[in-house]
Amino acid sequence: QVQLAEPGGGLVQAGGSLRLSCAASGRTFSSDTVGWFRRAPGQEREFVAALRWTEGNTYYADSVKGRFAISMDNAKNTVYLQMNSLKPEDTAVYYCASRPSWDSRGVGLDYTYIYWGQGTQVSVSS
């Protein structure tokens, strides 16, 4: 059984930083694309960032480019989302997801991901 766990959420003031983790059990990320998505209250789930493990290529939504960084730790089978210069509009439930790397569809398409974590709340106060 594949499970993705996402510790690291919390409450932070605007301008602060948080690091989210996505650790997989029952599956290795070494041949996956791993993405982060978020859903703010009353809004649709949106793409945040993604990483193609085999290539190391990273992708970001325009709204987080330059502030967020996605990275991987092979030994820990974990993907991180470092979030800096947080804004109140970053408040959302953040989800990590994965899919096989052979899937060439756009990394921002949430319906293409197979495995999902349960989400972690990130709240940014002004």
Side-chain angles (χ1 to χ4, degrees), residues 29-51:
F29 279 151
S30 60
S31 57
D32 276 4
T33 295
V34 181
W36 285 97
F37 295 81
R38 67 186 182 187
R39 176 176 282 156
Q43 296 188 23
E44 297 291 318
R45 185 165 58 193
E46 65 173 358
F47 169 73
V48 176
L51 180 149

mmCIF file with all atom_site columns, all heavy atoms in Angstrom, residues 29-51:
data_model
loop_
_atom_site.group_PDB
_atom_site.id
_atom_site.type_symbol
_atom_site.label_atom_id
_atom_site.label_alt_id
_atom_site.label_comp_id
_atom_site.label_asym_id
_atom_site.label_entity_id
_atom_site.label_seq_id
_atom_site.pdbx_PDB_ins_code
_atom_site.Cartn_x
_atom_site.Cartn_y
_atom_site.Cartn_z
_atom_site.occupancy
_atom_site.B_iso_or_equiv
_atom_site.pdbx_formal_charge
_atom_site.auth_seq_id
_atom_site.auth_comp_id
_atom_site.auth_asym_id
_atom_site.auth_atom_id
_atom_site.pdbx_PDB_model_num
ATOM 1   N N   . PHE A 1 29 ? 10.350  7.031  -4.861  1.00 0.00 ? 29 PHE A N   1
ATOM 2   C CA  . PHE A 1 29 ? 10.169  8.174  -5.737  1.00 0.00 ? 29 PHE A CA  1
ATOM 3   C C   . PHE A 1 29 ? 11.170  8.180  -6.897  1.00 0.00 ? 29 PHE A C   1
ATOM 4   O O   . PHE A 1 29 ? 11.086  9.053  -7.744  1.00 0.00 ? 29 PHE A O   1
ATOM 5   C CB  . PHE A 1 29 ? 10.343  9.464  -4.941  1.00 0.00 ? 29 PHE A CB  1
ATOM 6   C CG  . PHE A 1 29 ? 9.128   9.873  -4.153  1.00 0.00 ? 29 PHE A CG  1
ATOM 7   C CD1 . PHE A 1 29 ? 9.279   10.606 -2.978  1.00 0.00 ? 29 PHE A CD1 1
ATOM 8   C CD2 . PHE A 1 29 ? 7.848   9.566  -4.566  1.00 0.00 ? 29 PHE A CD2 1
ATOM 9   C CE1 . PHE A 1 29 ? 8.176   11.009 -2.242  1.00 0.00 ? 29 PHE A CE1 1
ATOM 10  C CE2 . PHE A 1 29 ? 6.743   9.954  -3.839  1.00 0.00 ? 29 PHE A CE2 1
ATOM 11  C CZ  . PHE A 1 29 ? 6.910   10.685 -2.671  1.00 0.00 ? 29 PHE A CZ  1
ATOM 12  N N   . SER A 1 30 ? 12.092  7.236  -6.930  1.00 0.00 ? 30 SER A N   1
ATOM 13  C CA  . SER A 1 30 ? 13.206  7.319  -7.866  1.00 0.00 ? 30 SER A CA  1
ATOM 14  C C   . SER A 1 30 ? 12.786  7.279  -9.326  1.00 0.00 ? 30 SER A C   1
ATOM 15  O O   . SER A 1 30 ? 13.555  7.677  -10.192 1.00 0.00 ? 30 SER A O   1
ATOM 16  C CB  . SER A 1 30 ? 14.211  6.206  -7.592  1.00 0.00 ? 30 SER A CB  1
ATOM 17  O OG  . SER A 1 30 ? 13.582  4.941  -7.744  1.00 0.00 ? 30 SER A OG  1
ATOM 18  N N   . SER A 1 31 ? 11.595  6.831  -9.619  1.00 0.00 ? 31 SER A N   1
ATOM 19  C CA  . SER A 1 31 ? 11.126  6.822  -11.003 1.00 0.00 ? 31 SER A CA  1
ATOM 20  C C   . SER A 1 31 ? 9.809   7.576  -11.147 1.00 0.00 ? 31 SER A C   1
ATOM 21  O O   . SER A 1 31 ? 8.992   7.274  -12.013 1.00 0.00 ? 31 SER A O   1
ATOM 22  C CB  . SER A 1 31 ? 10.963  5.387  -11.510 1.00 0.00 ? 31 SER A CB  1
ATOM 23  O OG  . SER A 1 31 ? 10.085  4.660  -10.680 1.00 0.00 ? 31 SER A OG  1
ATOM 24  N N   . ASP A 1 32 ? 9.609   8.564  -10.307 1.00 0.00 ? 32 ASP A N   1
ATOM 25  C CA  . ASP A 1 32 ? 8.354   9.299  -10.282 1.00 0.00 ? 32 ASP A CA  1
ATOM 26  C C   . ASP A 1 32 ? 8.541   10.775 -10.603 1.00 0.00 ? 32 ASP A C   1
ATOM 27  O O   . ASP A 1 32 ? 9.639   11.324 -10.509 1.00 0.00 ? 32 ASP A O   1
ATOM 28  C CB  . ASP A 1 32 ? 7.709   9.200  -8.892  1.00 0.00 ? 32 ASP A CB  1
ATOM 29  C CG  . ASP A 1 32 ? 6.907   7.935  -8.704  1.00 0.00 ? 32 ASP A CG  1
ATOM 30  O OD1 . ASP A 1 32 ? 6.908   7.091  -9.617  1.00 0.00 ? 32 ASP A OD1 1
ATOM 31  O OD2 . ASP A 1 32 ? 6.278   7.791  -7.640  1.00 0.00 ? 32 ASP A OD2 1
ATOM 32  N N   . THR A 1 33 ? 7.444   11.387 -10.943 1.00 0.00 ? 33 THR A N   1
ATOM 33  C CA  . THR A 1 33 ? 7.287   12.834 -10.877 1.00 0.00 ? 33 THR A CA  1
ATOM 34  C C   . THR A 1 33 ? 6.497   13.118 -9.605  1.00 0.00 ? 33 THR A C   1
ATOM 35  O O   . THR A 1 33 ? 5.458   12.497 -9.368  1.00 0.00 ? 33 THR A O   1
ATOM 36  C CB  . THR A 1 33 ? 6.527   13.372 -12.097 1.00 0.00 ? 33 THR A CB  1
ATOM 37  O OG1 . THR A 1 33 ? 7.308   13.141 -13.272 1.00 0.00 ? 33 THR A OG1 1
ATOM 38  C CG2 . THR A 1 33 ? 6.250   14.865 -11.945 1.00 0.00 ? 33 THR A CG2 1
ATOM 39  N N   . VAL A 1 34 ? 7.012   14.012 -8.798  1.00 0.00 ? 34 VAL A N   1
ATOM 40  C CA  . VAL A 1 34 ? 6.352   14.364 -7.536  1.00 0.00 ? 34 VAL A CA  1
ATOM 41  C C   . VAL A 1 34 ? 5.915   15.817 -7.595  1.00 0.00 ? 34 VAL A C   1
ATOM 42  O O   . VAL A 1 34 ? 6.696   16.690 -7.973  1.00 0.00 ? 34 VAL A O   1
ATOM 43  C CB  . VAL A 1 34 ? 7.290   14.143 -6.336  1.00 0.00 ? 34 VAL A CB  1
ATOM 44  C CG1 . VAL A 1 34 ? 6.573   14.487 -5.029  1.00 0.00 ? 34 VAL A CG1 1
ATOM 45  C CG2 . VAL A 1 34 ? 7.767   12.698 -6.305  1.00 0.00 ? 34 VAL A CG2 1
ATOM 46  N N   . GLY A 1 35 ? 4.679   16.043 -7.252  1.00 0.00 ? 35 GLY A N   1
ATOM 47  C CA  . GLY A 1 35 ? 4.140   17.406 -7.322  1.00 0.00 ? 35 GLY A CA  1
ATOM 48  C C   . GLY A 1 35 ? 3.572   17.857 -5.997  1.00 0.00 ? 35 GLY A C   1
ATOM 49  O O   . GLY A 1 35 ? 3.203   17.043 -5.146  1.00 0.00 ? 35 GLY A O   1
ATOM 50  N N   . TRP A 1 36 ? 3.529   19.173 -5.830  1.00 0.00 ? 36 TRP A N   1
ATOM 51  C CA  . TRP A 1 36 ? 2.836   19.805 -4.717  1.00 0.00 ? 36 TRP A CA  1
ATOM 52  C C   . TRP A 1 36 ? 1.681   20.621 -5.276  1.00 0.00 ? 36 TRP A C   1
ATOM 53  O O   . TRP A 1 36 ? 1.841   21.353 -6.254  1.00 0.00 ? 36 TRP A O   1
ATOM 54  C CB  . TRP A 1 36 ? 3.771   20.720 -3.936  1.00 0.00 ? 36 TRP A CB  1
ATOM 55  C CG  . TRP A 1 36 ? 4.746   20.011 -3.065  1.00 0.00 ? 36 TRP A CG  1
ATOM 56  C CD1 . TRP A 1 36 ? 6.044   19.703 -3.354  1.00 0.00 ? 36 TRP A CD1 1
ATOM 57  C CD2 . TRP A 1 36 ? 4.522   19.530 -1.740  1.00 0.00 ? 36 TRP A CD2 1
ATOM 58  N NE1 . TRP A 1 36 ? 6.629   19.050 -2.302  1.00 0.00 ? 36 TRP A NE1 1
ATOM 59  C CE2 . TRP A 1 36 ? 5.717   18.938 -1.285  1.00 0.00 ? 36 TRP A CE2 1
ATOM 60  C CE3 . TRP A 1 36 ? 3.423   19.546 -0.870  1.00 0.00 ? 36 TRP A CE3 1
ATOM 61  C CZ2 . TRP A 1 36 ? 5.849   18.357 -0.027  1.00 0.00 ? 36 TRP A CZ2 1
ATOM 62  C CZ3 . TRP A 1 36 ? 3.547   18.973 0.383   1.00 0.00 ? 36 TRP A CZ3 1
ATOM 63  C CH2 . TRP A 1 36 ? 4.750   18.386 0.796   1.00 0.00 ? 36 TRP A CH2 1
ATOM 64  N N   . PHE A 1 37 ? 0.542   20.465 -4.645  1.00 0.00 ? 37 PHE A N   1
ATOM 65  C CA  . PHE A 1 37 ? -0.653  21.216 -5.000  1.00 0.00 ? 37 PHE A CA  1
ATOM 66  C C   . PHE A 1 37 ? -1.217  21.842 -3.729  1.00 0.00 ? 37 PHE A C   1
ATOM 67  O O   . PHE A 1 37 ? -0.843  21.458 -2.623  1.00 0.00 ? 37 PHE A O   1
ATOM 68  C CB  . PHE A 1 37 ? -1.704  20.282 -5.624  1.00 0.00 ? 37 PHE A CB  1
ATOM 69  C CG  . PHE A 1 37 ? -1.276  19.698 -6.932  1.00 0.00 ? 37 PHE A CG  1
ATOM 70  C CD1 . PHE A 1 37 ? -0.431  18.595 -6.992  1.00 0.00 ? 37 PHE A CD1 1
ATOM 71  C CD2 . PHE A 1 37 ? -1.701  20.262 -8.133  1.00 0.00 ? 37 PHE A CD2 1
ATOM 72  C CE1 . PHE A 1 37 ? -0.021  18.053 -8.196  1.00 0.00 ? 37 PHE A CE1 1
ATOM 73  C CE2 . PHE A 1 37 ? -1.301  19.739 -9.353  1.00 0.00 ? 37 PHE A CE2 1
ATOM 74  C CZ  . PHE A 1 37 ? -0.459  18.631 -9.376  1.00 0.00 ? 37 PHE A CZ  1
ATOM 75  N N   . ARG A 1 38 ? -2.102  22.790 -3.896  1.00 0.00 ? 38 ARG A N   1
ATOM 76  C CA  . ARG A 1 38 ? -2.735  23.404 -2.729  1.00 0.00 ? 38 ARG A CA  1
ATOM 77  C C   . ARG A 1 38 ? -4.168  23.776 -3.050  1.00 0.00 ? 38 ARG A C   1
ATOM 78  O O   . ARG A 1 38 ? -4.524  24.013 -4.207  1.00 0.00 ? 38 ARG A O   1
ATOM 79  C CB  . ARG A 1 38 ? -1.956  24.635 -2.258  1.00 0.00 ? 38 ARG A CB  1
ATOM 80  C CG  . ARG A 1 38 ? -1.974  25.803 -3.232  1.00 0.00 ? 38 ARG A CG  1
ATOM 81  C CD  . ARG A 1 38 ? -1.048  26.912 -2.735  1.00 0.00 ? 38 ARG A CD  1
ATOM 82  N NE  . ARG A 1 38 ? -1.069  28.073 -3.624  1.00 0.00 ? 38 ARG A NE  1
ATOM 83  C CZ  . ARG A 1 38 ? -0.263  29.115 -3.503  1.00 0.00 ? 38 ARG A CZ  1
ATOM 84  N NH1 . ARG A 1 38 ? 0.666   29.139 -2.524  1.00 0.00 ? 38 ARG A NH1 1
ATOM 85  N NH2 . ARG A 1 38 ? -0.345  30.127 -4.332  1.00 0.00 ? 38 ARG A NH2 1
ATOM 86  N N   . ARG A 1 39 ? -4.949  23.814 -1.989  1.00 0.00 ? 39 ARG A N   1
ATOM 87  C CA  . ARG A 1 39 ? -6.343  24.241 -2.116  1.00 0.00 ? 39 ARG A CA  1
ATOM 88  C C   . ARG A 1 39 ? -6.640  25.236 -1.022  1.00 0.00 ? 39 ARG A C   1
ATOM 89  O O   . ARG A 1 39 ? -6.591  24.909 0.160   1.00 0.00 ? 39 ARG A O   1
ATOM 90  C CB  . ARG A 1 39 ? -7.298  23.057 -2.034  1.00 0.00 ? 39 ARG A CB  1
ATOM 91  C CG  . ARG A 1 39 ? -8.765  23.463 -2.066  1.00 0.00 ? 39 ARG A CG  1
ATOM 92  C CD  . ARG A 1 39 ? -9.664  22.272 -2.092  1.00 0.00 ? 39 ARG A CD  1
ATOM 93  N NE  . ARG A 1 39 ? -9.718  21.686 -3.413  1.00 0.00 ? 39 ARG A NE  1
ATOM 94  C CZ  . ARG A 1 39 ? -10.039 20.411 -3.658  1.00 0.00 ? 39 ARG A CZ  1
ATOM 95  N NH1 . ARG A 1 39 ? -10.294 19.599 -2.653  1.00 0.00 ? 39 ARG A NH1 1
ATOM 96  N NH2 . ARG A 1 39 ? -10.084 19.955 -4.883  1.00 0.00 ? 39 ARG A NH2 1
ATOM 97  N N   . ALA A 1 40 ? -6.931  26.444 -1.445  1.00 0.00 ? 40 ALA A N   1
ATOM 98  C CA  . ALA A 1 40 ? -7.328  27.490 -0.505  1.00 0.00 ? 40 ALA A CA  1
ATOM 99  C C   . ALA A 1 40 ? -8.836  27.401 -0.271  1.00 0.00 ? 40 ALA A C   1
ATOM 100 O O   . ALA A 1 40 ? -9.558  26.850 -1.115  1.00 0.00 ? 40 ALA A O   1
ATOM 101 C CB  . ALA A 1 40 ? -6.954  28.857 -1.066  1.00 0.00 ? 40 ALA A CB  1
ATOM 102 N N   . PRO A 1 41 ? -9.325  27.922 0.836   1.00 0.00 ? 41 PRO A N   1
ATOM 103 C CA  . PRO A 1 41 ? -10.764 27.857 1.122   1.00 0.00 ? 41 PRO A CA  1
ATOM 104 C C   . PRO A 1 41 ? -11.593 28.433 -0.016  1.00 0.00 ? 41 PRO A C   1
ATOM 105 O O   . PRO A 1 41 ? -11.330 29.546 -0.483  1.00 0.00 ? 41 PRO A O   1
ATOM 106 C CB  . PRO A 1 41 ? -10.907 28.695 2.398   1.00 0.00 ? 41 PRO A CB  1
ATOM 107 C CG  . PRO A 1 41 ? -9.576  28.616 3.047   1.00 0.00 ? 41 PRO A CG  1
ATOM 108 C CD  . PRO A 1 41 ? -8.580  28.575 1.927   1.00 0.00 ? 41 PRO A CD  1
ATOM 109 N N   . GLY A 1 42 ? -12.553 27.664 -0.490  1.00 0.00 ? 42 GLY A N   1
ATOM 110 C CA  . GLY A 1 42 ? -13.451 28.127 -1.529  1.00 0.00 ? 42 GLY A CA  1
ATOM 111 C C   . GLY A 1 42 ? -12.868 28.163 -2.927  1.00 0.00 ? 42 GLY A C   1
ATOM 112 O O   . GLY A 1 42 ? -13.506 28.680 -3.845  1.00 0.00 ? 42 GLY A O   1
ATOM 113 N N   . GLN A 1 43 ? -11.662 27.614 -3.080  1.00 0.00 ? 43 GLN A N   1
ATOM 114 C CA  . GLN A 1 43 ? -11.019 27.653 -4.397  1.00 0.00 ? 43 GLN A CA  1
ATOM 115 C C   . GLN A 1 43 ? -10.711 26.250 -4.891  1.00 0.00 ? 43 GLN A C   1
ATOM 116 O O   . GLN A 1 43 ? -10.725 25.284 -4.142  1.00 0.00 ? 43 GLN A O   1
ATOM 117 C CB  . GLN A 1 43 ? -9.730  28.482 -4.321  1.00 0.00 ? 43 GLN A CB  1
ATOM 118 C CG  . GLN A 1 43 ? -9.962  29.944 -3.971  1.00 0.00 ? 43 GLN A CG  1
ATOM 119 C CD  . GLN A 1 43 ? -8.713  30.778 -4.081  1.00 0.00 ? 43 GLN A CD  1
ATOM 120 O OE1 . GLN A 1 43 ? -7.770  30.425 -4.789  1.00 0.00 ? 43 GLN A OE1 1
ATOM 121 N NE2 . GLN A 1 43 ? -8.692  31.906 -3.403  1.00 0.00 ? 43 GLN A NE2 1
ATOM 122 N N   . GLU A 1 44 ? -10.403 26.177 -6.173  1.00 0.00 ? 44 GLU A N   1
ATOM 123 C CA  . GLU A 1 44 ? -10.014 24.906 -6.761  1.00 0.00 ? 44 GLU A CA  1
ATOM 124 C C   . GLU A 1 44 ? -8.578  24.563 -6.350  1.00 0.00 ? 44 GLU A C   1
ATOM 125 O O   . GLU A 1 44 ? -7.775  25.445 -6.026  1.00 0.00 ? 44 GLU A O   1
ATOM 126 C CB  . GLU A 1 44 ? -10.086 25.003 -8.290  1.00 0.00 ? 44 GLU A CB  1
ATOM 127 C CG  . GLU A 1 44 ? -11.470 25.261 -8.838  1.00 0.00 ? 44 GLU A CG  1
ATOM 128 C CD  . GLU A 1 44 ? -12.382 24.060 -8.654  1.00 0.00 ? 44 GLU A CD  1
ATOM 129 O OE1 . GLU A 1 44 ? -11.910 22.933 -8.871  1.00 0.00 ? 44 GLU A OE1 1
ATOM 130 O OE2 . GLU A 1 44 ? -13.542 24.269 -8.271  1.00 0.00 ? 44 GLU A OE2 1
ATOM 131 N N   . ARG A 1 45 ? -8.280  23.287 -6.394  1.00 0.00 ? 45 ARG A N   1
ATOM 132 C CA  . ARG A 1 45 ? -6.905  22.870 -6.134  1.00 0.00 ? 45 ARG A CA  1
ATOM 133 C C   . ARG A 1 45 ? -6.018  23.373 -7.260  1.00 0.00 ? 45 ARG A C   1
ATOM 134 O O   . ARG A 1 45 ? -6.394  23.331 -8.430  1.00 0.00 ? 45 ARG A O   1
ATOM 135 C CB  . ARG A 1 45 ? -6.845  21.343 -6.053  1.00 0.00 ? 45 ARG A CB  1
ATOM 136 C CG  . ARG A 1 45 ? -5.493  20.794 -5.665  1.00 0.00 ? 45 ARG A CG  1
ATOM 137 C CD  . ARG A 1 45 ? -5.605  19.333 -5.258  1.00 0.00 ? 45 ARG A CD  1
ATOM 138 N NE  . ARG A 1 45 ? -6.171  18.512 -6.312  1.00 0.00 ? 45 ARG A NE  1
ATOM 139 C CZ  . ARG A 1 45 ? -6.593  17.260 -6.119  1.00 0.00 ? 45 ARG A CZ  1
ATOM 140 N NH1 . ARG A 1 45 ? -6.526  16.718 -4.909  1.00 0.00 ? 45 ARG A NH1 1
ATOM 141 N NH2 . ARG A 1 45 ? -7.086  16.560 -7.127  1.00 0.00 ? 45 ARG A NH2 1
ATOM 142 N N   . GLU A 1 46 ? -4.844  23.884 -6.907  1.00 0.00 ? 46 GLU A N   1
ATOM 143 C CA  . GLU A 1 46 ? -3.960  24.438 -7.918  1.00 0.00 ? 46 GLU A CA  1
ATOM 144 C C   . GLU A 1 46 ? -2.552  23.871 -7.773  1.00 0.00 ? 46 GLU A C   1
ATOM 145 O O   . GLU A 1 46 ? -2.117  23.472 -6.696  1.00 0.00 ? 46 GLU A O   1
ATOM 146 C CB  . GLU A 1 46 ? -3.913  25.968 -7.827  1.00 0.00 ? 46 GLU A CB  1
ATOM 147 C CG  . GLU A 1 46 ? -3.307  26.515 -6.555  1.00 0.00 ? 46 GLU A CG  1
ATOM 148 C CD  . GLU A 1 46 ? -3.145  28.031 -6.595  1.00 0.00 ? 46 GLU A CD  1
ATOM 149 O OE1 . GLU A 1 46 ? -3.470  28.662 -7.608  1.00 0.00 ? 46 GLU A OE1 1
ATOM 150 O OE2 . GLU A 1 46 ? -2.658  28.573 -5.575  1.00 0.00 ? 46 GLU A OE2 1
ATOM 151 N N   . PHE A 1 47 ? -1.859  23.887 -8.883  1.00 0.00 ? 47 PHE A N   1
ATOM 152 C CA  . PHE A 1 47 ? -0.484  23.415 -8.949  1.00 0.00 ? 47 PHE A CA  1
ATOM 153 C C   . PHE A 1 47 ? 0.439   24.407 -8.259  1.00 0.00 ? 47 PHE A C   1
ATOM 154 O O   . PHE A 1 47 ? 0.286   25.616 -8.390  1.00 0.00 ? 47 PHE A O   1
ATOM 155 C CB  . PHE A 1 47 ? -0.080  23.235 -10.414 1.00 0.00 ? 47 PHE A CB  1
ATOM 156 C CG  . PHE A 1 47 ? 1.383   23.003 -10.626 1.00 0.00 ? 47 PHE A CG  1
ATOM 157 C CD1 . PHE A 1 47 ? 1.967   21.801 -10.294 1.00 0.00 ? 47 PHE A CD1 1
ATOM 158 C CD2 . PHE A 1 47 ? 2.182   24.002 -11.162 1.00 0.00 ? 47 PHE A CD2 1
ATOM 159 C CE1 . PHE A 1 47 ? 3.319   21.570 -10.495 1.00 0.00 ? 47 PHE A CE1 1
ATOM 160 C CE2 . PHE A 1 47 ? 3.531   23.792 -11.363 1.00 0.00 ? 47 PHE A CE2 1
ATOM 161 C CZ  . PHE A 1 47 ? 4.103   22.579 -11.034 1.00 0.00 ? 47 PHE A CZ  1
ATOM 162 N N   . VAL A 1 48 ? 1.428   23.863 -7.540  1.00 0.00 ? 48 VAL A N   1
ATOM 163 C CA  . VAL A 1 48 ? 2.427   24.703 -6.890  1.00 0.00 ? 48 VAL A CA  1
ATOM 164 C C   . VAL A 1 48 ? 3.810   24.440 -7.472  1.00 0.00 ? 48 VAL A C   1
ATOM 165 O O   . VAL A 1 48 ? 4.483   25.365 -7.937  1.00 0.00 ? 48 VAL A O   1
ATOM 166 C CB  . VAL A 1 48 ? 2.443   24.441 -5.361  1.00 0.00 ? 48 VAL A CB  1
ATOM 167 C CG1 . VAL A 1 48 ? 3.571   25.247 -4.697  1.00 0.00 ? 48 VAL A CG1 1
ATOM 168 C CG2 . VAL A 1 48 ? 1.098   24.784 -4.743  1.00 0.00 ? 48 VAL A CG2 1
ATOM 169 N N   . ALA A 1 49 ? 4.252   23.189 -7.435  1.00 0.00 ? 49 ALA A N   1
ATOM 170 C CA  . ALA A 1 49 ? 5.597   22.853 -7.892  1.00 0.00 ? 49 ALA A CA  1
ATOM 171 C C   . ALA A 1 49 ? 5.668   21.363 -8.188  1.00 0.00 ? 49 ALA A C   1
ATOM 172 O O   . ALA A 1 49 ? 4.847   20.587 -7.693  1.00 0.00 ? 49 ALA A O   1
ATOM 173 C CB  . ALA A 1 49 ? 6.640   23.224 -6.841  1.00 0.00 ? 49 ALA A CB  1
ATOM 174 N N   . ALA A 1 50 ? 6.651   20.985 -9.005  1.00 0.00 ? 50 ALA A N   1
ATOM 175 C CA  . ALA A 1 50 ? 6.839   19.571 -9.316  1.00 0.00 ? 50 ALA A CA  1
ATOM 176 C C   . ALA A 1 50 ? 8.302   19.300 -9.595  1.00 0.00 ? 50 ALA A C   1
ATOM 177 O O   . ALA A 1 50 ? 9.069   20.206 -9.946  1.00 0.00 ? 50 ALA A O   1
ATOM 178 C CB  . ALA A 1 50 ? 5.983   19.149 -10.509 1.00 0.00 ? 50 ALA A CB  1
ATOM 179 N N   . LEU A 1 51 ? 8.658   18.042 -9.446  1.00 0.00 ? 51 LEU A N   1
ATOM 180 C CA  . LEU A 1 51 ? 10.034  17.609 -9.671  1.00 0.00 ? 51 LEU A CA  1
ATOM 181 C C   . LEU A 1 51 ? 10.000  16.269 -10.384 1.00 0.00 ? 51 LEU A C   1
ATOM 182 O O   . LEU A 1 51 ? 9.299   15.354 -9.944  1.00 0.00 ? 51 LEU A O   1
ATOM 183 C CB  . LEU A 1 51 ? 10.752  17.493 -8.322  1.00 0.00 ? 51 LEU A CB  1
ATOM 184 C CG  . LEU A 1 51 ? 12.205  17.066 -8.311  1.00 0.00 ? 51 LEU A CG  1
ATOM 185 C CD1 . LEU A 1 51 ? 12.926  17.710 -7.123  1.00 0.00 ? 51 LEU A CD1 1
ATOM 186 C CD2 . LEU A 1 51 ? 12.365  15.561 -8.217  1.00 0.00 ? 51 LEU A CD2 1
#
